[in-house]
Amino acid sequence: MWITPVISGIGALLSLVTVIFVARLNSSSEHRRWLREERVRAAVDLKLAVSKLRVAHSRPDPGDDRPEVNPGRLFDFAEINAAMGRMDLIGCPQTVTNVQVLRDRLREFVQASVNGDEAWRHKRTNLDNTVNDIIQLVRKDVL
């Protein structure tokens, strides 16, 4: 007589444990999916923001008749700072380290461009390489 309630109790307990286990798996899976999507979105935003800065601070080749895109070299850094901040918050540790390198490369490129330094092209290439490294890290991280 006592065996039926005990077996029913054990069955109910196992069902409860299974429900909790499945709920945690779903929650973890959803969080990983969200994080992956946010990392991709942040990388795209960063690439676009750096591209805008790159265009604004690039100079035409000598003898090129096209006007400069941003002759006063004024640029709003809010978008690029927001994109780097998002990468700092949700990126993997190696990505966060590369974003710090990107900050230095951005500063070097902008200073070289504003000051008319002849090495601005080289600094732009360094900037591009750093952004590409970040994109590659995000690709590896989300795949």
Side-chain angles (χ1 to χ4, degrees):
M1 227 156 82
W2 60 270
I3 198 145
T4 303
V6 170
I7 291 176
S8 294
I10 291 172
L13 185 60
L14 288 174
S15 295
L16 180 63
V17 168
T18 302
V19 167
I20 291 171
F21 180 71
V22 168
R24 285 194 181 232
L25 282 177
N26 285 340
S27 174
S28 176
S29 175
E30 286 177 24
H31 177 71
R32 281 193 308 270
R33 186 178 312 118
W34 172 84
L35 188 58
R36 183 174 58 242
E37 290 171 2
E38 286 301 310
R39 285 178 175 169
V40 169
R41 213 173 277 130
V44 168
D45 290 347
L46 181 65
K47 178 79 172 173
L48 290 173
V50 170
S51 294
K52 288 178 186 177
L53 176 125
R54 188 182 179 282
V55 167
H57 282 278
S58 292
R59 298 170 176 269
D61 290 324
D64 192 343
D65 293 341
R66 290 178 293 176
E68 290 188 37
V69 174
N70 188 10
R73 301 286 182 263
L74 299 175
F75 188 81
D76 181 11
F77 288 90
E79 183 180 1
I80 201 161
N81 286 330
M84 288 189 297
R86 283 184 59 207
M87 291 300 292
D88 282 338
L89 288 173
I90 62 174
C92 69
Q94 194 173 4
T95 301
V96 172
T97 301
N98 278 19
V99 169
Q100 189 60 39
V101 171
L102 177 64
R103 282 185 175 89
D104 296 336
R105 299 273 166 89
L106 282 166
R107 194 174 301 111
E108 292 169 1
F109 169 66
V110 169
Q111 285 175 348
S113 176
V114 168
N115 296 334
D117 187 350
E118 291 299 318
W120 73 268
R121 283 186 190 353
H122 174 69
K123 297 194 185 295
R124 183 181 64 188
T125 300
N126 289 342
L127 176 68
D128 293 342
N129 291 339
T130 304
V131 170
N132 290 337
D133 290 346
I134 291 171
I135 298 299
Q136 290 303 319
L137 284 170
V138 171
R139 281 183 181 156
K140 287 179 188 174
D141 195 37
V142 299
L143 293 180

